[in-house]
Amino acid sequence: MNLAQRSIRLCLYSTSAQVSRTKWDLMSAVCLERKPVLSGELNEIERKFSRMLADIELENSHKSDHEVRYETETLQAELLKSKSLDLDIEQTLQQTAQDFEDAAVDEYNKFVFESRITEADKANDLQNLERKLDRHLLLLVQQKQWDQKIWALPQGLQKDGETMLQTAERVLREKCGDDLTVQFYGNAPCGVYKYKYPKMFVSREEEGPVGAKVFFFKAQYIAGYVDHNKLKLQEFKWLGREELMSSLSQEYYRNISQFLIDEE
C-alpha cells in the first residue's frame, strides 16, 4: 500500500469516526388516525357487481317464512274462491302476509336516509371528528420549531429511561390531554424521519445535536377529544389524506405517506 492510499484510508476512517460521534436528538411522533365510520360510496362498477351478487344470492337462497306463508295464503284464497275450502272467521280476520308486506313497503317508502354530509362538513370544521365519515382522518398539531410554527404529528423529545413507545404515549398526553383513548399498533415504530437543524441554531462551541431523528408510531383513535384549552397546544386539526399536502412540508409528507393506507 503506497502513501497516497494510506492517506485516503486514513481520511475515510477519520470521517466515518466523526460521523459516528455525531449527536442526534431522538424524538417520537404519533400518527393518530380516526378510521372511517361509514363505508365509501360505490362507483358504477361496484354497484353492478353488488347487484350481481344480490341476484346470485337470491337465486341460491331458500324461501323465507314470509314467502312460504304468502304462497300458502295465496293458495287458500284461490280455494276459497272456488269454494273448495272452509276457513274459520278468526283466521280470516288475521293479518295476511300480503297485508304485512304492504305495510312494510309503506313504512320503507316513508323512511328518509340520513345524509352523508354532516354539519361539520358544511361548516368545514377541521377540529370536528364528525366530518368526512367515510375517510381516514389524521391528527395534526401546530408546534413551535425554532422561530416559526409548523404543522406536524404530535411529537416530542425522548427523556432518559424512556423507550421510544413510552415517549410517544407521553407526548400524546402532553399535547392532547388525558381525554383521548387510543390504541397503539405494537411496540416498534412504523417509520423514521431524519433532518438537520439550521446552522444558526447549532452551537459551534458545544458538541450538541446536529439534528433530530423522529420515530413514527401508528395509533388508532377510539374515543374522546383533544383538550386544547387546558394544555399549551394552540391549534390542531383532523385532516384527510388529500388535505395533508397543503399543511405539511413536502419531505415530511413523503415520509409519513409511506406507511399510510392509500384510500383510492
Side-chain angles (χ1 to χ4, degrees), residues 48-66:
K48 289 181 179 179
F49 185 70
S50 178
R51 287 194 295 267
M52 183 190 72
L53 291 180
D55 292 340
I56 294 175
E57 182 178 1
L58 180 62
E59 292 174 1
N60 296 332
S61 64
H62 296 286
K63 293 180 180 179
S64 65
D65 293 342
H66 172 75

Side-chain angles (χ1 to χ4, degrees), residues 205-229:
E205 299 177 356
E206 301 177 3
E207 293 185 359
V210 298
K213 295 180 180 180
V214 185
F215 294 87
F216 298 108
F217 289 84
K218 290 195 72 174
Q220 179 182 348
Y221 168 84
I222 304 298
Y225 59 93
V226 178
D227 188 0
H228 64 295
N229 293 320

Side-chain angles (χ1 to χ4, degrees), residues 34-38 131-137 240-242 263-264:
R34 189 221 64 188
K35 297 293 184 180
V37 180
L38 303 176
R131 63 188 293 267
K132 292 185 177 293
L133 296 180
D134 59 346
R135 312 291 285 181
H136 288 77
L137 292 184
R241 297 282 193 274
E242 68 282 358
E263 292 187 312
E264 299 301 333

Side-chain angles (χ1 to χ4, degrees), residues 70-86:
Y70 180 83
E71 291 180 354
T72 302
E73 291 179 352
T74 301
L75 179 60
Q76 289 177 349
E78 293 176 355
L79 293 175
L80 281 174
K81 287 181 181 180
S82 62
K83 298 182 180 181
S84 302
L85 179 67
D86 293 329

Side-chain angles (χ1 to χ4, degrees), residues 25-174:
D25 280 331
L26 298 182
M27 305 179 72
S28 289
V30 183
C31 180
L32 181 59
E33 280 190 311
R34 189 221 64 188
K35 297 293 184 180
V37 180
L38 303 176
S39 59
E41 293 193 65
L42 302 180
N43 57 37
E44 184 60 29
I45 295 178
E46 290 171 333
R47 283 194 291 269
K48 289 181 179 179
F49 185 70
S50 178
R51 287 194 295 267
M52 183 190 72
L53 291 180
D55 292 340
I56 294 175
E57 182 178 1
L58 180 62
E59 292 174 1
N60 296 332
S61 64
H62 296 286
K63 293 180 180 179
S64 65
D65 293 342
H66 172 75
E67 290 173 312
V68 173
R69 179 186 172 192
Y70 180 83
E71 291 180 354
T72 302
E73 291 179 352
T74 301
L75 179 60
Q76 289 177 349
E78 293 176 355
L79 293 175
L80 281 174
K81 287 181 181 180
S82 62
K83 298 182 180 181
S84 302
L85 179 67
D86 293 329
L87 289 178
D88 296 335
I89 297 179
E90 293 183 359
Q91 287 182 291
T92 58
L93 293 177
Q94 292 179 354
Q95 184 189 44
T96 64
Q98 184 62 54
D99 293 334
F100 174 78
E101 187 171 328
D102 292 340
V105 170
D106 184 59
E107 183 178 355
Y108 173 78
N109 291 332
K110 293 179 181 178
F111 182 81
V112 179
F113 288 92
E114 188 68 30
S115 173
R116 286 175 169 265
I117 307 300
T118 65
E119 294 300 323
D121 286 316
K122 296 176 183 178
N124 196 29
D125 186 357
L126 301 182
Q127 296 185 349
N128 197 325
L129 280 168
E130 295 299 318
R131 63 188 293 267
K132 292 185 177 293
L133 296 180
D134 59 346
R135 312 291 285 181
H136 288 77
L137 292 184
L138 198 69
L139 176 64
L140 296 185
V141 297
Q142 194 177 60
Q143 303 172 78
K144 187 174 181 180
Q145 189 177 65
W146 307 302
D147 59 346
Q148 60 181 347
K149 293 180 180 179
I150 63 167
W151 287 101
L153 303 178
Q155 63 185 35
L157 289 169
Q158 181 191 34
K159 291 184 178 180
D160 292 339
E162 283 185 335
T163 65
M164 299 308 295
L165 177 60
Q166 290 171 340
T167 301
E169 294 171 338
R170 173 181 56 79
V171 165
L172 189 62
R173 289 194 303 270
E174 292 178 351

